[in-house]
Amino acid sequence: MNLNAISIKNLLRRKGKAAFVLAGLVIGVSTVVGIISYVEAMTNDINHKLEKYGANILIVPKTENLALSYGGLSLGGVSFEMEEIRQKDLEQIGTIKNSANIAALGPLVLGVAPVGQQKVLMAGVDFQAARILKPWWKLQQGELPGADGIILGTEAARVLNLEVGSRLSINDNDMVVSGILQPTGSQDDQLAFTRLATAQLIFDKQGQVSMAEVAALCKDCPIEAMVKQISDALPGAKVMAIQQVVKSRMETLAQFKKFSYGVSSVILLIGSLVVLVTMMGSVRERTDEIGIFRAIGFRKRHVMKIIFTEAAIVSGLAGIIGYFLGFGATKAALALFSENHSGLVPFSIELAGGAVITALVVGLIASSYPAFMAARLDPNEALRAL
Amino acid sequence: MSYIVADKLVKKFGKGDAAVAAVADISFQIEEGDFVGIMGESGAGKSTILGILGAMNAPTSGTLTVDGIDIYNLGQEQRADFRREFLGFIFQSFHLVPYLTVIENVMLPLAVVKAGKKKKRQMAEEALDQVGLLEKARRLPNQISGGEKERVAIARSIVNEPPVLLADEPTGNLDTQTTREIMELLLRFNQEGMTIVMVTHSPACAGYAQRILRVTDGRLAEEDTKIRSIERWERNERKREPRLSQDQKLMTGSLPIG
């Protein structure tokens, strides 16, 4: 028989009350774990998408011309004089400090190609880099082009009335349509694509590129610093980060995080009040018993230890149950509402440890006043027998 | 110097003019191995005196020394240590912890004592053996009778072998036969050297004590020092039995109410 045995026996006797305290803390802890896991999953999801999808730094020649297009409507077409970047200069990008963060570099040569009575904007691209820069590209028909091949966006194929295998002549170069892209919902639907070298040959722009796309954005990439580094490396080019969407999503997520933590704090506070009220009730019910403990020579700290041990057992258990409940609930919620991203909620030993520690801290703090009250009980008053 | 010395003890409840003296200037001495009874009407201050002796109820003035220790000069926690090491308590209403078994209740004072599990269990078994309840060691308090509960309370009070036993109406809830058994048990402990101070209403129980302190309105009315007389107890019981029978007859209406 020791103090721990007294605590355990009391918990077993008052299962209902213990279960009530447990439930209060489990709800609090599981909600916090659920919210944190959900936010973590969302962050992972965004980072995953950012890493997976597309270019986010554009390198274009410095120009004195203003854009003559707005909202997809072009007033000036592409008839104005285009500046070019030397392809060799792009190699400088590999020397920047954060070059390791660059996933892909895609040079692009643009030119207007006459096809019958129509004109089409033709882009020469590096199809190897395009796999990373434009992962949403899917061929509806055909295959990637060879040296004399082109692929067409769906709109371009429709307007030009071309299909896979169609032959055409562009600036006296015989070309064959090797594939047609699935609709992308972007400007790519209206373009014809060929190999970079082929386009340079057709438009007589050997060693030059019209622009370049860089895929670099990942969660730890210092995008603005990278833009600066590339600008320094390519003084004749204008370097822009496409981060508006990313920033907005990150800001929304940050606001959601703040809101979630606020809600979690309130729930934890309510949980701690449940513990406080229940433990106070328990102490009042046990006045007689505590009086006996004090009368037979228990010190105040012995009484407090009994109360704290009970609180610690229930809180620790609540932390463990709360973590798994919150973890499971997040997985279930993501599976139900978010295109099966449940794999993005990994088991986190830090979060599990944090949940147990939070539950313990909340349980012990909420029990400190009842424990203090119990220890202060005057044995003579408590017993009213002597 | 006597083992227990109460000197000019005063205990007042309330403040100012409204203060009521439950104990008013009481002095007495108890020798080691004494068996002292404290008697008096309800509200006379008996339990307050016992509370003071039990290091649980600080007097408003006066001193209490036990074995040369000025008890109320000690801090609260030291008084708790004193209770654990020097005193055993027997309460009128048993005060057993309901979720602990008989043996666990007996082991309770040992819960904060540094000793091995085996040693504690052995001490508890010995105490239970002394009160004849070893075979019911694993039962819960609600599975034993009132007399047995009192025995468990006694076993708990002696498990750490305290030199002084304080008993507050130890037989108040018990029948005659059980009362006799309990008193004989206390007598045996006293004969083995334990100092016992017992509050009682019952003159029969008081008959086991060597000395009687009579308290009236918080004052020591008289001190009756006598030779313990079991014969007197038995004589009292013999007198009481016919009277009880008559009471019973009255209650059942077999005799006309005069």
Side-chain angles (χ1 to χ4, degrees):
Chain A
M1 168 64 57
N2 54 30
L3 298 178
N4 294 343
I6 295 171
S7 301
I8 292 167
K9 291 236 168 197
N10 179 55
L11 284 177
L12 292 174
R13 178 184 62 141
R14 297 166 196 263
K15 290 190 190 83
K17 278 209 162 54
F20 193 65
V21 173
L22 189 73
L25 279 173
V26 163
I27 290 170
V29 172
S30 61
T31 306
V32 173
V33 168
I35 286 172
I36 290 174
S37 300
Y38 193 81
V39 168
E40 188 67 19
M42 289 290 100
T43 309
N44 286 346
D45 187 32
I46 288 176
N47 290 333
H48 180 67
K49 281 178 181 161
L50 291 177
E51 282 174 357
K52 192 176 172 188
Y53 294 121
N56 36 54
I57 295 178
L58 280 183
I59 303 167
V60 294
K62 269 188 182 159
T63 175
E64 297 305 315
N65 295 319
L66 294 171
L68 298 177
S69 68
Y70 186 79
L73 186 65
S74 177
L75 300 177
V78 287
S79 57
F80 59 85
E81 192 65 29
M82 285 179 68
E83 308 272 344
E84 305 293 345
I85 303 168
R86 287 198 302 165
Q87 190 176 354
K88 199 169 169 29
D89 291 347
L90 292 180
E91 289 170 10
Q92 295 299 316
I93 296 173
T95 66
I96 66 166
K97 189 180 164 195
N98 285 97
S99 58
N101 292 119
I102 294 173
L105 169 65
L108 209 73
V109 168
L110 293 171
V112 179
V115 179
Q117 299 302 311
Q118 302 275 356
K119 284 181 179 174
V120 65
L121 184 60
M122 178 175 271
V125 300
D126 175 349
F127 285 99
Q128 198 65 31
R131 285 177 197 275
I132 298 169
L133 293 163
K134 299 179 187 296
W136 55 88
W137 273 11
K138 296 274 185 303
L139 282 171
Q140 190 172 285
Q141 301 166 41
E143 55 190 20
L144 289 176
D148 61 347
I150 60 169
I151 57 171
L152 296 168
T154 41
E155 273 298 294
R158 185 185 66 79
V159 172
L160 299 174
N161 197 24
L162 294 172
E163 57 189 31
V164 174
S166 298
R167 303 196 75 84
L168 63 158
S169 174
I170 301 172
N171 292 353
D172 299 330
N173 292 283
D174 286 335
M175 310 290 288
V176 61
V177 177
S178 69
I180 294 173
L181 288 173
Q182 282 182 4
T184 62
S186 71
Q187 221 174 347
D188 294 350
D189 292 348
Q190 315 217 1
L191 266 66
F193 298 94
T194 188
R195 286 187 174 191
L196 183 68
T198 307
Q200 284 172 328
L201 191 68
I202 288 171
F203 299 121
D204 197 19
K205 291 183 178 176
Q206 281 89 343
Q208 293 181 314
V209 294
S210 308
M211 61 183 289
E213 295 172 319
V214 179
L217 196 62
C218 55
K219 66 176 176 182
D220 299 320
C221 291
I223 284 295
E224 274 154 16
M226 287 179 72
V227 166
K228 174 86 172 46
Q229 290 164 18
I230 295 172
S231 295
D232 291 346
L234 302 172
K238 183 180 170 189
V239 186
M240 298 173 289
I242 312 169
Q243 52 181 345
Q244 214 168 359
V245 175
V246 175
K247 267 193 172 173
S248 128
R249 286 190 74 173
M250 283 301 195
E251 275 169 16
T252 309
L253 197 66
Q255 280 179 349
F256 178 65
K257 260 186 190 176
K258 281 182 192 166
F259 174 73
S260 305
Y261 291 149
V263 170
S264 305
S265 307
V266 172
I267 291 170
L268 273 181
L269 185 68
I270 294 169
S272 64
L273 285 176
V274 168
V275 177
L276 174 71
V277 170
T278 314
M279 293 301 273
M280 277 304 288
S282 174
V283 166
R284 281 201 192 97
E285 273 179 24
R286 296 164 71 188
T287 301
D288 178 77
E289 186 184 313
I290 293 164
I292 298 167
F293 294 158
R294 294 285 284 141
I296 62 176
F298 282 28
R299 283 181 159 218
K300 285 180 181 176
R301 65 180 168 85
H302 295 138
V303 174
M304 288 179 88
K305 191 183 171 192
I306 292 172
I307 307 284
F308 278 135
T309 304
E310 287 173 19
I313 291 170
V314 175
S315 306
L317 206 58
I320 294 167
I321 296 172
Y323 174 74
F324 284 107
L325 205 64
F327 180 71
T330 309
K331 270 195 170 275
L334 283 170
L336 272 175
F337 306 121
S338 181
E339 296 176 13
N340 197 15
H341 289 133
S342 54
L344 292 170
V345 193
F347 174 81
S348 160
I349 193 77
E350 290 88 2
L351 188 56
V356 174
I357 290 169
T358 304
L360 279 172
V361 168
V362 169
L364 292 177
I365 288 176
S367 302
S368 55
Y369 182 65
F372 179 67
M373 292 299 287
R376 273 190 57 189
L377 271 177
D378 179 350
N380 199 46
E381 287 289 316
L383 289 170
R384 295 186 188 285
L386 285 177
Chain B
M1 190 180 180
S2 299
Y3 191 60
I4 299 173
V5 180
D7 186 31
K8 296 177 182 171
L9 291 177
V10 174
K11 179 68 186 181
K12 288 181 180 173
F13 293 104
K15 286 178 182 174
D17 294 341
V20 177
V23 175
D25 197 20
I26 282 183
S27 299
F28 59 86
Q29 292 165 6
I30 297 171
E31 301 302 327
E32 195 168 4
D34 269 3
F35 190 152
V36 177
I38 300 177
M39 296 190 74
E41 300 297 317
S42 293
K46 313 182 292 294
S47 294
T48 306
I49 293 171
L50 204 64
I52 294 170
L53 288 177
M56 291 196 291
N57 197 1
T60 311
S61 64
T63 58
L64 173 77
T65 55
V66 179
D67 201 14
I69 304 166
D70 184 350
I71 301 304
Y72 290 99
N73 214 16
L74 300 174
Q76 275 196 21
E77 297 299 75
Q78 287 169 310
R79 290 213 298 271
D81 295 342
F82 168 79
R83 287 195 291 272
R84 189 171 63 247
E85 287 163 23
F86 275 77
L87 305 177
F89 287 97
I90 304 172
F91 309 107
Q92 183 177 358
S93 45
F94 321 127
H95 286 303
L96 300 182
V97 180
Y99 53 87
L100 299 181
T101 61
V102 162
I103 194 158
E104 286 166 343
N105 264 287
V106 175
M107 287 165 79
L108 208 50
L110 305 176
V112 291
V113 170
K114 279 183 186 169
K117 208 172 173 181
K118 264 188 181 174
K119 172 75 178 164
K120 288 179 183 179
R121 181 161 284 272
Q122 186 193 341
M123 287 169 80
E125 282 173 353
E126 278 171 17
L128 272 178
D129 193 33
Q130 287 200 59
V131 298
L133 269 182
L134 191 52
E135 75 281 4
K136 295 188 177 177
R138 293 189 183 282
R139 294 201 186 175
L140 285 168
N142 63 4
Q143 294 169 327
I144 56 177
S145 69
E148 288 169 335
K149 283 178 190 168
E150 189 65 42
R151 285 166 187 268
V152 176
I154 292 171
R156 181 178 65 191
S157 71
I158 60 162
V159 70
N160 51 348
E161 297 169 355
V164 180
L165 190 63
L166 302 178
D168 187 25
E169 303 274 9
T171 59
N173 293 326
L174 305 176
D175 61 50
T176 311
Q177 177 58 30
T178 312
T179 297
R180 189 200 304 258
E181 289 168 8
I182 296 296
M183 290 312 301
E184 279 170 6
L185 205 54
L186 294 183
L187 184 59
R188 179 152 60 82
F189 294 149
N190 177 239
Q191 283 167 345
E192 288 168 3
M194 194 176 272
T195 305
I196 298 178
V197 181
M198 175 182 70
V199 163
T200 181
H201 274 106
S202 161
C205 290
Y208 280 82
Q210 292 163 324
R211 290 167 57 202
I212 303 290
L213 302 177
R214 291 183 195 279
V215 184
T216 306
D217 294 332
R219 292 177 189 281
L220 208 54
E222 62 180 291
E223 186 169 341
D224 179 7
T225 307
K226 60 186 181 49
I227 304 298
R228 178 186 290 131
S229 170
I230 305 302
E231 291 76 20
R232 184 191 289 188
W233 150 262
E234 286 173 341
R235 196 165 58 243
N236 286 342
E237 287 306 302
R238 275 198 298 276
K239 279 181 191 167
R240 181 182 288 187
E241 276 165 14
R243 207 164 48 236
L244 284 174
S245 302
Q246 194 168 0
D247 287 347
Q248 284 165 346
K249 284 174 189 173
L250 282 169
M251 288 187 70
T252 54
S254 55
L255 286 176
I257 298 169

